[in-house]
Amino acid sequence: MRWDDIGQQVCSVARALSVVGERWTLLILRDAFFGTRRFDQFQANLGITRHRLSERLGKLVEHGVLTRVPYSDKPPRYEYRLTRKGLALYPVLMTLGRWGDEWMDRNEGPPVEYFHQSCSRKMQAVLTCSECGEDLRPQQVTPMV
């Protein structure tokens, strides 16, 4: 199967990867969650080529993950904002970041720490059962296909 056809699989992970699985895309989304909105800011933060950034932003807009909002008429300029669909990717990025902190930290510790405003404490993202609140472990979850 070709990568371009990955979204045709009957698999939610494959379908999600057809939108966010390309190189640079998750880093663009990370920066969007950190407050980056404008094309030049994304490019400066990431060091990505203008062409590639334009492609990735276009695909995220096409799939409703980001929306383009005008901020200047002359010349026409747009900023990119997360939609509800984009905001729903927050747990994915937080979980991926936690995995990176644990397994890819080079013994330097996490490069970013997170502060939960509601309880005024540093926190880590955890994956829990929606019904009982227990931490989820692969050995305790059975896929029902």
Side-chain angles (χ1 to χ4, degrees):
M1 170 173 284
R2 294 173 11 134
W3 180 256
D4 291 343
D5 300 327
I6 198 83
Q8 303 307 313
Q9 286 192 17
V10 183
C11 170
S12 297
V13 173
R15 290 176 181 165
L17 286 174
S18 75
V19 177
V20 300
E22 294 174 320
R23 185 187 303 179
W24 294 109
T25 302
L26 289 176
L27 295 176
I28 291 168
L29 290 171
R30 175 207 60 194
D31 280 13
F33 278 107
F34 284 175
T36 302
R37 302 263 186 272
R38 297 184 179 173
F39 188 95
D40 291 339
Q41 292 173 314
F42 282 112
Q43 190 187 28
N45 292 349
L46 297 171
I48 184 175
T49 65
R50 295 181 71 77
H51 173 73
R52 182 76 62 215
L53 178 57
S54 180
E55 282 180 344
R56 297 300 185 260
L57 289 170
K59 186 169 187 175
L60 291 169
V61 169
E62 174 188 338
H63 285 277
V65 175
L66 296 175
T67 188
R68 279 178 24 139
V69 178
Y71 70 88
S72 171
D73 290 331
K74 296 185 190 230
R77 299 262 191 245
Y78 299 88
E79 62 182 25
Y80 296 87
R81 294 187 187 166
L82 291 157
T83 62
R84 283 185 55 230
K85 187 175 182 178
L87 290 168
L89 287 164
Y90 188 69
V92 174
L93 288 168
M94 292 296 288
T95 303
L96 188 59
R98 180 159 183 210
W99 181 86
D101 290 345
E102 186 170 341
W103 296 102
M104 307 297 291
D105 75 343
R106 301 179 185 159
N107 293 318
E108 298 170 3
V112 176
E113 294 183 305
Y114 297 92
F115 179 81
H116 188 226
Q117 294 176 10
S118 295
C119 71
S120 301
R121 299 177 76 175
K122 287 185 189 176
M123 50 75 64
Q124 293 182 352
V126 294
L127 190 59
T128 61
C129 174
S130 62
E131 304 306 309
C132 71
E134 271 189 28
D135 286 355
L136 292 180
R137 296 199 171 23
Q139 305 87 340
Q140 298 171 327
V141 177
T142 305
M144 297 170 35
V145 182

